[in-house]
Amino acid sequence: MKFSLVILQLVLVLAPFASSVSLREPEIPAFIKTLKEMHQGPPRHPTTRKSHVKTRWITQKLDNFDETNNKTWQNRILINERHFVEGSPIFIYLGGEWVIEPADIGSVHLADIAKAHKGTILTTEHRFYGESIPIKPLSTENLSRYQNVKQALADVVNVIKVLKEEDKYKDSKVVVQGCSYSATMATWLKKLYPDVIVGSWASSAPLEAKVNFREYMKVVGEAYRELGGDHCYNIIDNATSYYENLFYNGKGAQAKKELNLCSDFDEDDERDQWQYFSTVANTFGNLAQYQNPQNKDLSNYCSNLRNFSDNDYEALSKFVQWRLENPKCVNTKYQDSVDYYLWSKDDYDGEDLAWMFQTCNEFGWFQSSGSRNQPFGTNFPVTLYTDICEDVFGSNYSEANIRKLIRETNYEFGGIENVEGVYFTQGGLDPWARVGAGLAQAATIYPQASHCSDLGSIGASDSAALRASKERIAELIREWLA
């Protein structure tokens, strides 16, 4: 009796803490793994140089636009001041939807330029990514108030302000660079704060917010056809058609077995099907997004695809599993992805939830099967993504509301337009280029290159166009700093 009373007392004491204990981290669904890879950050270049990068923390306002809100948070930056001479420039590589690393400002062209100008180089970490978390939990309420590009741009302006309060930086001019979404930021920073920086280099910047980004997979298909050959494109196309037909003709159980899908996959649930076909497309899309034509990356991947089997649909199934690191089974159940994002609201996972929110709230850029001119079938409509938005973030993120939000983004920032003091570069086979600056905006296009392909130092493997562009940006920066 006495023992039972002690146990009861312990239960009563511990009960208030039970709700604060995090649930065990769920397995990351295959669909989300492929999205993680798509937004993993810029290509990082190996280096043998000793790192002189240090970490600093900048105090930021939680809400840059509410004077009554005095809450603050600590924003991480990585900075290399080794070559700095008082009054020399500050070069900022803007962080995007990723965790920043010292390599981001290591063996890269911007670091070479900074050294030539005896400048400081640093990279900023975007709010709600990496270690720069302004507030928890990542509830819809908190994200909707504090996670958007305007807040992030104001954070960058404050980083510059804080640095320039130091005597050694008070006369320093500032140049920024970005890749992918952070190149979007580099463009809009120059547009909104033209007097804060002297110029921006925007590599592979998506500028037009778009709900149904059907062109993405079209360009991915073009990359496989051009760099991998018709035979490679046809393997993917034939295999996708085969599996689509199995599901369509009531043979989903057979498809489930051949694709090694997990037992809870519902072959009769169209959203589970959508997740699988989107996972396949994302798997191939990620390889195309960061391919290097000089290394014949896609040609080599196409050889690997064929080597798995002479049978097209078997080859595709095994290739996708290989790229997913050969799981016991492939988890593409729709509800598991929703549950993972819901779990992330209270148990921060690094970056995925915050980026999914930004796409639902500001940008769209949902890579659908809406184009007929691609080899990934028709079975992952934009509804797959808009349903996730609503199921994770609530009824304010219905497809109709998302379309309204995306129109507002384009109205506010101008979509695809030329911005004075911004140098645009694009890969000719970069899927993101379809929502970015083109020849009409005087962008430099690298034939056959893909996403953020020009970040590295000038090297022997650079194409003639790539080398010429890197030399041009160095010349432009000299002009901006004059």
Side-chain angles (χ1 to χ4, degrees):
M1 182 68 179
K2 185 176 180 180
F3 178 76
S4 299
L5 182 60
V6 170
I7 294 296
L8 178 60
Q9 289 173 330
L10 280 172
V11 170
L12 291 173
V13 168
L14 293 175
F17 298 98
S19 61
S20 65
V21 177
S22 298
L23 297 175
R24 182 174 60 87
E25 180 174 358
E27 176 190 357
I28 302 175
F31 171 73
I32 293 179
K33 284 183 180 179
T34 61
L35 292 182
K36 277 178 175 281
E37 187 173 350
M38 186 176 292
H39 301 287
Q40 62 187 316
R44 281 155 179 139
H45 301 271
T47 181
T48 56
R49 303 174 188 172
K50 181 180 178 181
S51 175
H52 296 272
V53 176
K54 296 181 179 179
T55 301
R56 282 187 59 174
W57 297 92
I58 305 294
T59 300
Q60 301 279 15
K61 288 192 66 177
L62 178 60
D63 191 331
N64 289 298
F65 307 105
D66 182 356
E67 294 183 0
T68 66
N69 188 337
N70 295 317
K71 293 181 180 179
T72 61
W73 60 284
Q74 295 301 301
N75 186 191
R76 185 169 70 122
I77 68 170
L78 301 177
I79 187 167
N80 185 343
E81 300 175 290
R82 182 188 182 198
H83 302 291
F84 182 74
V85 173
E86 186 171 335
S88 293
I90 300 168
F91 296 85
I92 303 178
Y93 180 74
L94 300 178
E97 73 277 23
W98 55 77
V99 181
I100 59 172
E101 298 180 8
D104 297 342
I105 52 173
S107 294
V108 293
H109 189 40
L110 190 67
D112 299 334
I113 294 172
K115 181 180 178 181
H117 288 274
K118 297 181 172 59
T120 282
I121 185 169
L122 63 103
T123 183
T124 54
E125 193 159 64
H126 192 298
R127 55 173 55 205
F128 288 101
Y129 298 109
E131 297 178 32
S132 298
I133 311 303
I135 189 171
K136 291 183 178 181
L138 274 64
S139 62
T140 300
E141 179 184 5
N142 283 338
L143 291 171
S144 63
R145 293 178 67 183
Y146 307 121
Q147 172 65 330
N148 58 68
V149 68
K150 288 187 71 175
Q151 294 279 8
L153 292 173
D155 291 340
V156 175
V157 172
N158 187 55
V159 169
I160 296 169
K161 177 178 176 289
V162 169
L163 289 176
K164 289 175 76 68
E165 287 172 351
E166 301 177 24
D167 284 343
K168 65 182 179 181
Y169 287 126
K170 68 180 186 298
D171 297 321
S172 297
K173 295 179 180 179
V174 181
V175 174
V176 302
Q177 182 205 4
C179 145
S180 193
Y181 164 54
S182 81
T184 309
M185 292 175 61
T187 304
W188 294 346
L189 187 67
K190 184 59 177 163
K191 179 183 174 75
L192 296 186
Y193 302 95
D195 298 329
V196 173
I197 61 176
V198 297
S200 293
W201 170 16
S203 176
S204 302
L207 298 175
E208 179 189 4
K210 192 169 193 174
V211 178
N212 190 356
F213 189 14
R214 61 174 66 87
E215 296 87 352
Y216 183 95
M217 290 304 171
K218 179 177 183 293
V219 178
V220 170
E222 291 170 357
Y224 278 95
R225 194 184 288 281
E226 183 171 339
L227 300 177
D230 287 345
H231 65 284
C232 186
Y233 184 101
N234 292 338
I235 293 172
I236 302 168
D237 193 25
N238 293 340
T240 302
S241 296
Y242 168 81
Y243 288 117
E244 281 190 328
N245 286 334
L246 286 182
F247 283 113
Y248 181 78
N249 292 313
K251 298 180 180 179
Q254 179 183 340
K256 180 176 177 178
K257 180 179 179 180
E258 292 180 6
L259 294 170
N260 189 31
L261 300 175
C262 293
S263 59
D264 62 351
F265 178 92
D266 184 349
E267 59 265 30
D268 297 318
D269 186 329
E270 64 178 1
R271 295 199 295 189
D272 283 9
Q273 294 179 31
W274 293 350
Q275 284 245 314
Y276 178 74
F277 286 104
S278 182
T279 298
V280 171
N282 290 346
T283 298
F284 285 96
N286 289 336
L287 299 176
Q289 180 169 303
Y290 289 112
Q291 61 83 20
N292 184 334
Q294 275 70 43
N295 295 340
K296 302 187 183 217
D297 288 340
L298 289 195
S299 178
N300 292 331
Y301 280 121
C302 287
S303 295
N304 289 343
L305 173 64
R306 180 79 290 168
N307 288 340
F308 275 108
S309 176
D310 291 332
N311 178 303
D312 291 350
Y313 55 84
E314 185 177 324
L316 181 135
S317 175
K318 290 183 176 180
F319 182 88
V320 170
Q321 291 179 71
W322 170 61
R323 292 301 303 168
L324 293 172
E325 301 180 335
N326 294 311
K328 182 178 179 181
C329 62
V330 177
N331 178 8
T332 60
K333 188 168 182 62
Y334 173 85
Q335 190 59 46
D336 285 354
S337 291
V338 170
D339 290 345
Y340 182 87
Y341 285 130
L342 292 173
W343 170 86
S344 299
K345 287 186 173 186
D346 292 309
D347 303 81
Y348 175 64
D349 73 338
E351 64 251 25
D352 301 300
L353 181 71
W355 180 246
M356 178 56 71
F357 177 78
Q358 284 195 265
T359 60
C360 298
N361 189 57
E362 298 183 276
F363 306 126
W365 296 332
F366 302 131
Q367 295 98 344
S368 77
S369 57
S371 171
R372 295 183 179 181
N373 300 311
Q374 44 84 12
F376 305 109
T378 61
N379 216 5
F380 51 104
V382 71
T383 312
L384 165 62
Y385 289 90
T386 57
D387 281 359
I388 289 175
C389 292
E390 187 167 9
D391 287 345
V392 173
F393 301 114
S395 58
N396 286 339
Y397 294 92
S398 64
E399 182 170 340
N401 285 345
I402 292 170
R403 292 186 180 278
K404 179 175 179 291
L405 291 166
I406 270 56
R407 285 195 298 270
E408 290 172 357
T409 297
N410 287 327
Y411 178 79
E412 182 162 11
F413 293 102
I416 300 174
E417 64 176 7
N418 196 17
V419 177
E420 185 177 357
V422 178
Y423 180 63
F424 293 111
T425 59
Q426 300 280 11
L429 288 175
D430 179 7
W432 291 97
R434 294 301 177 92
V435 288
L439 294 176
Q441 291 76 37
T444 296
I445 312 295
Y446 311 128
Q448 294 191 331
S450 193
H451 201 54
C452 299
S453 58
D454 54 358
L455 304 187
S457 299
I458 293 175
S461 64
D462 287 348
S463 67
L466 192 56
R467 185 181 185 92
S469 177
K470 290 180 179 180
E471 291 172 349
R472 174 60 180 151
I473 187 60
E475 179 184 344
L476 269 178
I477 288 175
R478 283 193 293 272
E479 294 175 6
W480 292 338
L481 294 173

